[in-house]
């Protein structure tokens, strides 16, 4: 799973003007390049990009499972469905094409596979 900051051309140009850096340095900073993306300048570029309205995104392989900042389980499927299970309540939600199609309360571990299969088969 790769993390990056998604910005529009206008947002990118605004940050480039402020820091007077090349497009390549912007790319290094916004894509957390292992060699050049961890400098102090890169950190400041990322902060400015987020302040300009940039959005942190993750490039994940299909059906990869991860936990977000709040500890919620999230899983994306090849068909575009997304499964989210809230850590605090155990409530599950499957979203497909922008609409919630399945909801469940207090999901048990043994029930997760059935939710995954339902999301996968939409």
């Amino acid at each position: 799973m790769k993390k990056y900051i998604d910005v529009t051309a206008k947002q990118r140009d605004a940050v480039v003007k402020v820091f007077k850096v090349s497009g390549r340095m912007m790319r290094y900073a916004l894509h957390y390049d292992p060699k050049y993306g961890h400098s102090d300048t890169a950190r400041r570029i990322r902060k400015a990009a987020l302040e300009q309205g940039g959005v942190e995104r993750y490039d994940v392989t299909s059906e990869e499972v991860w936990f977000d900042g709040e500890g919620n389980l999230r899983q994306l499927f090849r068909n575009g469905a997304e499964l989210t299970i809230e850590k605090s309540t155990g409530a599950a939600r499957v979203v497909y094409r922008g609409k919630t199609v399945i909801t469940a309360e207090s999901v048990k571990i043994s029930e997760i596979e059935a939710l995954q299969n339902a999301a996968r088969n939409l």
Side-chain angles (χ1 to χ4, degrees), residues 5 15 19 21 25-26 28-51 56:
I5 298 174
V15 175
F19 289 95
V21 294
M25 182 58 198
M26 277 294 293
Y28 289 152
L30 296 180
H31 288 268
Y32 296 85
D33 182 78
K35 188 171 182 182
Y36 302 108
H38 295 289
S39 66
D40 185 50
T41 302
R43 286 186 194 95
R44 290 185 296 153
I45 288 171
R46 285 192 291 272
K47 182 178 181 203
L50 291 170
E51 289 171 356
E56 268 190 341

Side-chain angles (χ1 to χ4, degrees), residues 6-17 26 30 52 54:
D6 190 22
V7 293
T8 64
K10 185 177 178 181
Q11 293 165 336
R12 184 182 58 245
D13 292 343
V15 175
V16 166
K17 277 185 182 179
M26 277 294 293
L30 296 180
Q52 287 288 325

Side-chain angles (χ1 to χ4, degrees), residues 1 58-66 74-81 120:
M1 174 169 62
Y58 294 89
D59 185 17
V60 297
T61 59
S62 61
E63 299 195 10
E64 184 171 349
V65 177
W66 76 96
R74 298 185 69 191
Q75 185 172 11
L76 299 176
F77 296 89
R78 290 186 182 120
N79 62 2
R120 194 176 288 121

Side-chain angles (χ1 to χ4, degrees), residues 81-99:
E82 178 179 353
L83 168 64
T84 304
I85 302 175
E86 294 182 22
K87 177 183 178 182
S88 60
T89 63
R93 181 177 72 245
V94 176
V95 177
Y96 182 65
R97 296 185 177 173
K99 295 182 181 179

